[in-house]
Amino acid sequence: MDVIRLPNQLGPKLRAARVQRGMTQADVARQLGISTQAVSKLETNAGRASFDRVHRLCLLLGLELGLQEKSTGTPKTAKPMTPAKAAW
């Protein structure tokens, strides 16, 4: 099972969406089949979570989960191609 570290901004967004829907951590935990402590950890970005768990939580709370590949550095600018000159 793949485990991911949660982005810093995800936890507060999860909590805000839960509160906006009038749900308690216990409500969320019950619907996802996890502990209230697990919900608390997700909302505070403590520890790690499986992608499946985060995805199910986002679906429950009506949040869209966007994934983006992490950049490994400054992108290289491609040089424009010029036609090859014949040497004859």
Side-chain angles (χ1 to χ4, degrees):
M1 174 186 329
D2 289 335
V3 176
I4 58 172
R5 173 142 321 263
L6 301 178
N8 290 337
Q9 69 273 21
L10 182 60
K13 287 183 181 185
L14 293 172
R15 183 180 188 286
R18 175 182 59 77
V19 170
Q20 183 180 23
R21 284 162 179 71
M23 299 174 76
T24 65
Q25 288 182 344
D27 295 331
V28 172
R30 194 171 23 264
Q31 289 191 39
L32 294 179
I34 61 177
S35 69
T36 55
Q37 292 84 1
V39 175
S40 177
K41 284 184 178 184
L42 288 169
E43 290 184 355
T44 59
N45 295 321
R48 297 171 182 245
S50 69
F51 176 80
D52 181 58
R53 182 173 287 176
V54 173
H55 183 246
R56 288 177 34 226
L57 181 56
C58 288
L59 288 174
L60 175 67
L61 298 176
L63 297 173
E64 185 175 319
L65 183 61
L67 300 176
Q68 190 174 39
E69 188 175 331
K70 185 175 180 178
S71 175
T72 57
T74 306
K76 295 181 180 176
T77 306
K79 294 181 182 177
M81 294 184 67
T82 55
K85 293 183 181 178
W88 30 296

